Amino acid sequence: MRLRAGAAWHNDEELVFTDELGRPLSRRTVYKNFKQIANQLDLPNLRFHDLRHQYVKPTTKSFSTF
């Protein structure tokens, strides 16, 4: 995408997920695409943020022993 955009590319933050010109993706775009993919995979009704909790919860429990 960077090569196609040429001089129009603008990604000073070196983001991994961007639009076709290197700009950050909007929350709405991320949410919409996540919901479409989740529906195609027959996943339960989750929010994008819920994906984080699948990792954090078990990790947090292991740290609570310290």
Side-chain angles (χ1 to χ4, degrees):
M1 287 186 349
R2 179 186 283 183
L3 294 175
R4 279 190 195 156
W9 183 259
H10 185 54
N11 186 357
D12 294 336
E13 296 87 15
E14 298 184 23
L15 300 172
V16 175
F17 301 106
T18 66
D19 69 5
E20 60 278 349
L21 296 177
R23 298 175 301 209
L25 296 173
S26 71
R27 290 181 195 187
R28 182 170 174 81
T29 299
V30 172
Y31 177 81
K32 185 176 99 177
N33 286 314
F34 170 73
K35 286 296 190 178
Q36 286 177 348
I37 293 168
N39 286 334
Q40 290 171 0
L41 297 173
D42 292 325
L43 294 176
N45 189 21
L46 299 172
R47 299 168 301 158
F48 184 76
H49 184 77
D50 292 335
L51 296 175
R52 180 178 178 270
H53 293 288
Q54 298 303 315
Y55 172 75
V56 173
K57 253 184 173 175
T59 305
T60 304
K61 287 180 184 177
S62 67
F63 286 125
S64 65
T65 60
F66 292 109

